Amino acid sequence: MKLNKPPLPSSSLLCAAPRSLSDTPPSPYSIFPRRAKVSSSTFANAKLVTLKSCAAKFHLCSSMATSDQHRSRHRDESPTKPNKKMKKKASHNQEKSLLISLHSCSKHKDLSAALALYDAAIGSGDVRLSQQHYQSLLYLCSASLGDPSLQTLAIDRGYQVFQRMVGSGASPNEASVTSVARLAAAKGDGDYAFKVVKDIVAVGGVSVPRLRTYSPALLCFCERLEAEKCYEVEEHMDASGIALEEVEISALLKVSVATGRESKVYRYLHKLRECVGFVSEETSKVIEEWFCSEKASEVGRDSGGNGSDIELLRAAALKNGGGWHGLGWVGEGKWIVKKGNASPDGECLSCGERLACVDTNEEETENFVNSLVALAVERKAKMNSCEPMEDFSEFQEWLEKHGDYEAILDGANIGLYQQNFVDGGFSLPQLEAVVKELYNKSGNKKWPLILLHKKRVNALLENANHRNVVEEWIDNNVLYTTPPGSNDDWYWLYAAAKLKCLLVTNDEMRDHIFELLSTSFFQKWKQRHQVRYTFVKGSLKLEMPPPFSVVIQESEKGSWHVPITCQDGEVSLRNWICVTRRS
């Protein structure tokens, strides 16, 4: 019987992969043979006993399924329909058995055994391979790249598996494309690694590329100092909404330093500031290399004698929340690069400049506040309670009228702190202690604002020992009661963000991070505004925000300060790269 060639997919994603290290990508219309050939020498060096055992098990499964079909045919007087069902069931069992065996090979990182199973399945012609089968094989190929003895086999066979996958009509998902991209990058073919990612984006659908999907192509181009291709990959990532991490930013910074592109270096330094904060030792070496280079001494402008320039830089830094201006290199001549520490109050011990306490910028804060309002309104709309519920807008109006506060208190978090014992309950004395401490710390003698749920407030008012204190707080606008059915978290978080003041809570707010803006933004906001607390034998201790931010800083004088990761965990011993220019 003559078999017709299977129809080929028209999508640009399903292009044929190169079949060996020496081959270039073939035409999308090339047809892969039914049986993949593997040399005997390859299998001799790769657990031959295991291969024979796995292949034998797969053959035994196929034989047993065929034997079951023969017995069924003898027992049934009308064998046509049952035989089809049995054949379909047997095929399903073989496919399931193969998938389980491949997963086992992946778990034990046994590439040779997995390839033997794959070859046996292709040779039998009775097993239909699914996306999961191919994905498991491709993952194992990419995972074997770290073994020098298997690298060539992994790349060659991985390409062949991918070729058959697209030829059979199985759509590669993100995991499969990531594996192929890694194989291509290991071969040094960044172009092909980037192509398979671009193709999956062009096709669209449920498979969306991730950072790991792009990284092989990006890092391959960076290693080969192909700067323009690096920037092209980054642009594609940005268009797909993929955020860079330190490894990728550091690689882009390194290729920009090596090719002398000062504007790109400036941009990636700020990318590190936004996304990373303190940098690794490896990244710090790249930064030092730049500032010590001849090219770096040629960039910049002299603003020392121009008062308007200095004011412009200061205004830009203030608008950005402090710690950076973003207006380009400042100063002239060679850079002075030192490594040193910062004092507890934020003075650089290398140059004497005071480090800034960086806050979120005006636009970020406004977006943050608006997102909180939208989430609070959405949460109310989803409530199924028949009871009337106060609109969040009423709290907004109240805060607008009374909003002269320097600190917001998460009342429930403070009152329930360390109360998980038999007779434990809401501790009003703990909350009262925090209120008094913040009042005494305030230079203007301002009371903080407590946010507490109505149910909790009613319970406190019913207690004769607590009633007077709570009523006094309500009369003096120290306490705001959040309505039934609401989440008081949104109220204290909104108040702290809107008023740009301190927030006293030990709540990590992890559930909020994923619903709001970016994780990097929220972490920066928490570092600047969150006050933590402890009670040791009834004595209160407040942990105020640090007097300076451990992030890359750029001053209006043109200097740079770069914190390096602290290996031993002792923050006071953290090294900073101090970069200045001669006055």
Side-chain angles (χ1 to χ4, degrees):
M1 176 179 178
K2 184 177 180 181
L3 294 176
N4 293 326
K5 293 181 180 179
L8 289 171
S10 58
S11 167
S12 60
L13 172 64
L14 308 181
C15 58
R19 285 172 288 192
S20 69
L21 283 171
S22 58
D23 292 343
T24 56
S27 164
Y29 297 98
S30 61
I31 301 299
F32 194 88
R34 289 190 61 83
R35 180 184 294 272
K37 296 181 180 180
V38 181
S39 67
S40 57
S41 60
T42 301
F43 284 101
N45 295 327
K47 300 180 182 178
L48 184 58
V49 175
T50 306
L51 303 186
K52 289 180 178 179
S53 174
C54 292
K57 287 179 182 178
F58 183 74
H59 178 71
L60 178 60
C61 178
S62 302
S63 300
M64 289 175 67
T66 305
S67 176
D68 287 342
Q69 292 178 47
H70 285 307
R71 286 196 295 269
S72 175
R73 196 160 40 234
H74 286 297
R75 286 196 300 263
D76 203 320
E77 293 180 1
S78 179
T80 306
K81 292 184 179 179
N83 188 43
K84 286 183 178 179
K85 290 181 180 179
M86 289 295 295
K87 187 175 288 187
K88 184 175 181 181
K89 183 178 179 181
S91 176
H92 175 74
N93 288 339
Q94 292 179 60
E95 291 164 9
K96 185 177 179 180
S97 176
L98 174 60
L99 188 60
I100 292 172
S101 298
L102 288 175
H103 286 335
S104 178
C105 291
S106 293
K107 182 178 179 180
H108 296 93
K109 292 183 169 50
D110 197 338
L111 175 61
S112 299
L115 291 174
L117 289 168
Y118 168 71
D119 290 336
I122 296 298
S124 72
D126 297 328
V127 182
R128 181 176 179 180
L129 299 185
S130 67
Q131 182 191 74
Q132 290 178 300
H133 293 105
Y134 289 116
Q135 180 180 322
S136 184
L137 284 160
L138 289 169
Y139 164 77
L140 191 49
C141 286
S142 67
S144 302
L145 291 171
D147 186 341
S149 66
L150 292 176
Q151 190 175 79
T152 301
L153 175 67
I155 295 173
D156 282 351
R157 294 306 307 273
Y159 272 29
Q160 291 172 359
V161 169
F162 187 62
Q163 167 74 12
R164 179 169 284 278
M165 180 182 190
V166 298
S168 68
S171 298
N173 59 8
E174 181 273 332
S176 301
V177 170
T178 297
S179 296
V180 175
R182 288 171 179 167
L183 293 170
K187 180 185 172 183
D189 191 354
D191 292 316
Y192 190 73
F194 188 26
K195 175 176 170 45
V196 292
V197 182
K198 287 189 292 185
D199 286 347
I200 197 175
V201 172
V203 170
V206 295
S207 290
V208 179
R210 296 158 60 182
L211 176 63
R212 68 177 189 176
T213 322
Y214 281 101
S215 283
L218 179 63
L219 298 179
C220 181
F221 287 140
C222 287
E223 187 177 347
R224 299 166 71 90
L225 298 182
E226 297 181 85
E228 292 303 328
K229 291 182 179 180
C230 296
Y231 305 144
E232 183 186 354
V233 175
E234 189 208 355
E235 287 178 10
H236 207 275
M237 294 173 73
D238 188 57
S240 298
I242 308 296
L244 297 170
E245 294 184 0
E246 182 177 4
V247 172
E248 290 74 27
I249 301 172
S250 182
L252 286 162
L253 177 64
K254 187 173 184 178
V255 74
S256 300
V257 169
T259 55
R261 300 171 188 240
E262 66 274 10
S263 61
K264 292 289 187 180
V265 172
Y266 187 82
R267 179 172 179 269
Y268 293 126
L269 281 174
H270 278 291
K271 275 278 187 185
L272 285 170
R273 176 190 56 77
E274 293 170 10
C275 306
V276 178
F278 52 82
V279 303
S280 66
E281 286 285 352
E282 185 178 350
T283 302
S284 72
K285 291 175 183 177
V286 179
I287 295 172
E288 288 185 72
E289 181 185 346
W290 163 252
F291 283 110
C292 292
S293 69
E294 190 65 32
K295 181 67 176 179
S297 65
E298 298 171 0
V299 302
R301 62 181 182 183
D302 183 12
S303 62
N306 191 333
S308 62
D309 269 6
I310 294 175
E311 290 303 317
L312 180 67
L313 294 167
R314 286 177 180 167
L318 182 63
K319 183 179 179 181
N320 293 336
W324 66 284
H325 53 77
L327 298 180
W329 305 107
V330 175
E332 292 181 323
K334 289 184 178 291
W335 298 90
I336 302 170
V337 181
K338 297 179 181 178
K339 270 189 180 179
N341 307 112
S343 68
D345 62 349
E347 181 184 347
C348 175
L349 299 179
S350 297
C351 69
E353 191 170 322
R354 189 163 296 279
L355 298 170
C357 189
V358 181
D359 203 348
T360 55
N361 65 45
E362 294 175 3
E363 184 180 355
E364 286 177 322
T365 304
E366 187 64 27
N367 290 338
F368 182 42
V369 170
N370 291 337
S371 70
L372 284 167
V373 175
L375 285 166
V377 171
E378 181 184 352
R379 185 67 59 90
K380 178 182 180 298
K382 290 181 179 179
M383 293 292 294
N384 295 320
S385 174
C386 297
E387 298 180 9
M389 178 179 165
E390 176 186 316
D391 285 334
F392 191 76
S393 59
E394 292 184 32
F395 173 62
Q396 292 178 267
E397 292 171 5
W398 184 92
L399 193 65
E400 195 71 33
K401 184 178 179 181
H402 302 95
D404 189 21
Y405 299 100
E406 294 178 350
I408 308 297
L409 274 59
D410 177 2
N413 184 268
I414 298 169
L416 295 171
Y417 178 73
Q418 291 185 339
Q419 297 300 304
N420 55 338
F421 51 89
V422 177
D423 297 323
F426 188 90
S427 174
L428 188 68
Q430 285 185 173
L431 183 55
E432 192 175 7
V434 176
V435 170
K436 289 180 178 179
E437 180 69 15
L438 289 170
Y439 176 79
N440 292 330
K441 279 182 174 289
S442 171
N444 300 317
K445 295 299 179 182
K446 291 183 179 180
W447 293 101
L449 173 64
I450 308 165
L451 276 301
L452 205 56
H453 200 273
K454 185 174 183 179
K455 184 178 179 181
R456 185 81 62 187
V457 173
N458 289 341
L460 291 171
L461 289 171
E462 290 172 1
N463 187 322
N465 295 325
H466 298 155
R467 187 180 303 120
N468 290 340
V469 173
V470 175
E471 286 179 345
E472 183 182 353
W473 285 348
I474 294 173
D475 293 340
N476 292 320
N477 296 316
V478 177
L479 173 64
Y480 185 90
T481 305
T482 61
S486 66
N487 186 341
D488 57 350
D489 293 7
W490 301 115
Y491 286 77
W492 49 252
L493 191 53
Y494 171 83
K498 180 67 176 178
L499 301 180
K500 300 180 177 67
C501 63
L502 299 174
L503 171 63
V504 184
T505 181
N506 284 346
D507 192 329
E508 291 297 334
M509 297 172 273
R510 291 192 180 96
D511 54 331
H512 308 315
I513 291 176
F514 303 105
E515 294 185 83
L516 301 176
L517 300 178
S518 67
T519 301
S520 60
F521 164 82
F522 199 50
Q523 289 294 345
K524 182 167 62 174
W525 185 88
K526 284 171 60 179
Q527 185 185 49
R528 177 66 181 89
H529 294 273
Q530 185 174 6
V531 177
R532 301 176 190 275
Y533 62 88
T534 55
F535 285 93
V536 181
K537 295 181 180 180
S539 178
L540 169 67
K541 181 182 178 182
L542 295 177
E543 184 184 330
M544 306 300 286
F548 64 97
S549 299
V550 184
V551 294
I552 295 176
Q553 300 197 18
E554 172 197 36
S555 77
E556 60 266 22
K557 297 179 181 178
S559 63
W560 289 79
H561 290 87
V562 182
I564 304 172
T565 187
C566 196
Q567 300 292 345
D568 54 8
E570 185 58 49
V571 178
S572 62
L573 299 178
R574 182 190 304 280
N575 276 331
W576 288 71
I577 303 175
C578 171
V579 186
T580 58
R581 271 177 159 160
R582 299 186 188 279
S583 302

